Amino acid sequence: MKICKVTYRLCAFILFSVLLVPHLNGQELTAPTSSWAVKSNLLYDATTSLNLGAEFKVGQRLTVDIPLSYNPFSFGDNKKWKHILLQPELRWWVKEPFAGHFFGLHAHYAYYNVGGIGTRWMKDNRFEGWLVGAGLAYGYQFFLGRHWNLELSIGAGYAYLDYKRYSCKTCGDFKGNENKHYIGPTKAAVTLVYVIK
């Protein structure tokens, strides 16, 4: 359960930061004239997951965020966190796009090949399959400079996982096709944003 504890603590920290930090620094929101941005989730970067996203203004207070994450790597002892993840999100901004608080509705689809990490159940097995689901998100974007923002966001929701389970990380016996219904955190992001003026 170490990964779950770390995930929940990270989500609590991001929620605390999103809710409290903007009020402590007295940040003023000014109307950006931006209509789109490119971005990278620094948390994904820290897990060697290559990622890039684009966000487009589609209404006065609405944007669509389209991030893509890809991890093709195997690590020592054949540990794997291989995946490709698409998680588009429709966002409603409290004041205006790319400034301050927002609420989001996201969907997610991933194909994964994961094994040898996390809890004992995860360490002793390898899982290859796909997932699909949806969730709600909340976040805040801070101004860093003329073109740069920093975004903190968290999300929770549902995912349906369908996978083949193997008994070990490398060449273990096939244990069968399984599926799982998951409810919990579905998103945690500390994202560097380059805003196009």
Side-chain angles (χ1 to χ4, degrees):
M1 293 311 242
K2 261 185 189 175
I3 286 183
C4 286
K5 286 180 182 178
V6 170
T7 302
Y8 284 112
R9 286 179 184 159
L10 179 61
C11 287
F13 171 75
I14 291 173
L15 181 60
F16 171 78
S17 299
V18 165
L19 293 174
L20 188 60
V21 171
H23 302 292
L24 292 177
N25 69 14
Q27 183 179 37
E28 271 185 43
L29 297 177
T30 57
T33 57
S34 313
S35 60
W36 69 288
V38 292
K39 52 207 326 192
S40 180
N41 185 340
L42 302 177
L43 295 181
Y44 289 175
D45 292 336
T47 63
T48 69
S49 296
L50 309 171
N51 72 97
L52 189 62
E55 188 168 356
F56 303 90
K57 186 176 174 182
V58 294
Q60 188 174 351
R61 291 189 184 183
L62 292 175
T63 60
V64 173
D65 180 40
I66 306 173
L68 181 65
S69 173
Y70 176 61
N71 190 327
F73 307 112
S74 289
F75 306 102
D77 296 330
N78 204 33
K79 294 178 181 176
K80 296 180 186 300
W81 188 252
K82 292 184 176 187
H83 69 273
I84 185 162
L85 166 67
L86 178 65
Q87 195 171 47
E89 182 171 87
L90 177 65
R91 292 178 168 181
W92 180 82
W93 296 80
V94 172
K95 293 200 175 186
E96 54 216 305
F98 309 107
H101 299 278
F102 64 86
F103 297 92
L105 173 63
H106 59 265
H108 36 259
Y109 173 81
Y111 176 80
Y112 54 90
N113 185 354
V114 178
I117 57 170
T119 64
R120 182 180 174 125
W121 184 67
M122 292 276 294
K123 281 184 180 178
D124 293 341
N125 293 282
R126 184 173 66 83
F127 306 89
E128 185 175 351
W130 58 272
L131 67 82
V132 65
L136 299 173
Y138 175 69
Y140 190 92
Q141 245 185 62
F142 300 87
F143 295 115
L144 296 179
R146 185 169 176 227
H147 289 281
W148 295 98
N149 287 357
L150 182 68
E151 175 186 301
L152 302 177
S153 63
I154 57 170
Y158 166 80
Y160 172 79
L161 294 88
D162 188 282
Y163 54 87
K164 294 176 182 174
R165 182 167 64 94
Y166 298 86
S167 63
C168 76
K169 299 171 283 185
T170 54
C171 58
D173 296 331
F174 174 67
K175 294 294 185 179
N177 291 314
E178 300 176 6
N179 58 63
K180 187 178 282 283
H181 298 276
Y182 166 83
I183 295 175
T186 53
K187 180 178 184 178
V190 176
T191 305
L192 189 61
V193 182
Y194 183 78
V195 181
I196 309 298
K197 299 285 186 187

